[in-house]
Amino acid sequence: MEDSFRRLEDIDISKYNIRQEQYAVIYPITVMPRESVYSVYLEAQKRAMQAGIAFLSGGVSKRLVVRQLRPQDLGLPGPEWMFQVRSGRNTLLRYRVRDDQAIVIFGFYNQSPSPKVVQLEVLRGGVRRLIIVMQELYTRGYDPMGVLADFEVFRPGDEVELVGHAIGEGEEILGVMGYVAEPEGRLNRAGL
């Protein structure tokens, strides 16, 4: 270490080859005050509105709709957040965000009677953005539902990948909480 540093703030980290892992802070919803949970949902909706205005071409001139994220919005075939997992690393989904959408992810939940996925990774374009340790919620006796301290925003064309690390095999009901911003009428045109 260099002796010339008097304070930690004086260290210029840009010249060091350090890789930082981004572990997400996740708060269990069941122990949060109702007002705090409501504030998280409102803030996530606001972030989705901002993303729609910023990233969708003509976002200000077109009328935008912000709605709850559904499994089909991330390329899953049905209306349920259901995955088959095996022990180890599982790519749960990989999807490129449509040109007329912006997506905000603000939390995750697991409704499986016996959760197998203990850790999630969220990647954008193959680059890991977040690591979420779901096991922490399970082992502390909380309902396996939590919100992220920092939301993840996906622009049109971004590739979203969700990887789950499981300790067993079987069916996992693992949901993503988020919002979608898109032009009005998009949902009806797609027949969804």
Side-chain angles (χ1 to χ4, degrees):
M1 276 296 171
E2 298 178 30
D3 294 330
S4 63
F5 298 125
R6 291 194 173 86
R7 300 178 314 156
L8 290 177
E9 294 83 12
D10 295 335
I11 300 172
D12 177 11
I13 61 171
S14 65
K15 63 182 177 180
Y16 296 95
N17 187 17
I18 300 172
R19 188 182 84 187
Q20 180 180 354
E21 295 290 342
Q22 183 62 39
Y23 280 84
V25 177
I26 189 163
Y27 297 107
I29 283 183
T30 53
V31 298
M32 292 173 67
R34 182 182 211 96
E35 299 81 24
S36 296
V37 173
Y38 186 64
S39 294
V40 168
Y41 279 81
L42 288 176
E43 185 61 31
Q45 284 179 335
K46 178 182 170 188
R47 188 74 51 87
M49 289 176 209
Q50 292 167 330
I53 291 168
F55 305 137
L56 300 180
S57 59
V60 177
S61 63
K62 290 183 182 178
R63 196 171 169 125
L64 294 176
V65 173
V66 172
R67 60 173 176 78
Q68 187 175 354
L69 180 70
R70 298 168 308 125
Q72 298 93 321
D73 295 320
L74 293 176
L76 297 176
E80 297 177 319
W81 295 102
M82 200 167 299
F83 304 95
Q84 287 296 321
V85 296
R86 62 185 179 352
S87 189
R89 186 178 198 275
N90 297 269
T91 299
L92 302 175
L93 65 86
R94 183 178 293 135
Y95 181 73
R96 187 163 308 279
V97 178
R98 290 192 328 252
D99 290 339
D100 62 350
Q101 284 186 329
I103 295 175
V104 174
I105 293 175
F106 69 91
F108 296 90
Y109 63 89
N110 195 324
Q111 293 181 328
S112 300
S114 177
K116 295 158 202 62
V117 174
V118 293
Q119 180 175 301
L120 290 171
E121 295 178 20
V122 178
L123 295 90
R124 177 189 295 134
V127 176
R128 185 170 41 214
R129 299 286 300 155
L130 300 171
I131 300 170
I132 301 127
V133 182
M134 298 290 286
Q135 185 175 13
E136 201 171 307
L137 294 174
Y138 310 148
T139 57
R140 293 188 183 194
Y142 300 129
D143 282 344
M145 175 183 260
V147 294
L148 300 170
D150 296 308
F151 307 150
E152 195 62 28
V153 179
F154 293 91
R155 301 170 181 224
D158 280 350
E159 183 183 68
V160 181
E161 186 174 353
L162 184 63
V163 174
H165 296 272
I167 56 172
E169 283 187 26
E171 192 173 77
E172 195 80 340
I173 305 168
L174 181 67
V176 179
M177 295 189 301
Y179 287 103
V180 175
E182 61 190 0
E184 186 175 48
R186 168 64 182 98
L187 191 63
N188 294 335
R189 286 194 310 271
L192 301 173

Coordinates of all heavy atoms in Angstrom, one line a residue, residues 4 33 140 180:
S4 N 1.5 7.4 1.1 CA 1.1 8.8 0.9 C -0.4 9.1 1.2 O -0.8 10.2 1.2 CB 1.5 9.2 -0.5 OG 0.8 8.5 -1.4
P33 N -43.1 -1.5 6.9 CA -44.4 -0.8 7.2 C -45.1 -0.7 5.8 O -44.6 -0.5 4.8 CB -44.0 0.6 7.7 CG -42.6 0.4 8.1 CD -42.0 -0.7 7.3
R140 N -34.1 -16.5 7.4 CA -34.5 -15.6 8.5 C -36.0 -15.7 8.8 O -36.5 -14.9 9.7 CB -34.1 -14.1 8.2 CG -32.6 -14.0 8.1 CD -32.2 -12.5 8.0 NE -30.8 -12.4 7.9 CZ -30.1 -11.3 8.0 NH1 -30.8 -10.2 8.3 NH2 -28.8 -11.3 7.9
V180 N -43.8 -2.1 -16.7 CA -43.5 -1.9 -18.1 C -44.1 -0.5 -18.6 O -45.2 -0.2 -18.2 CB -44.1 -3.0 -19.0 CG1 -43.9 -2.7 -20.5 CG2 -43.6 -4.3 -18.6

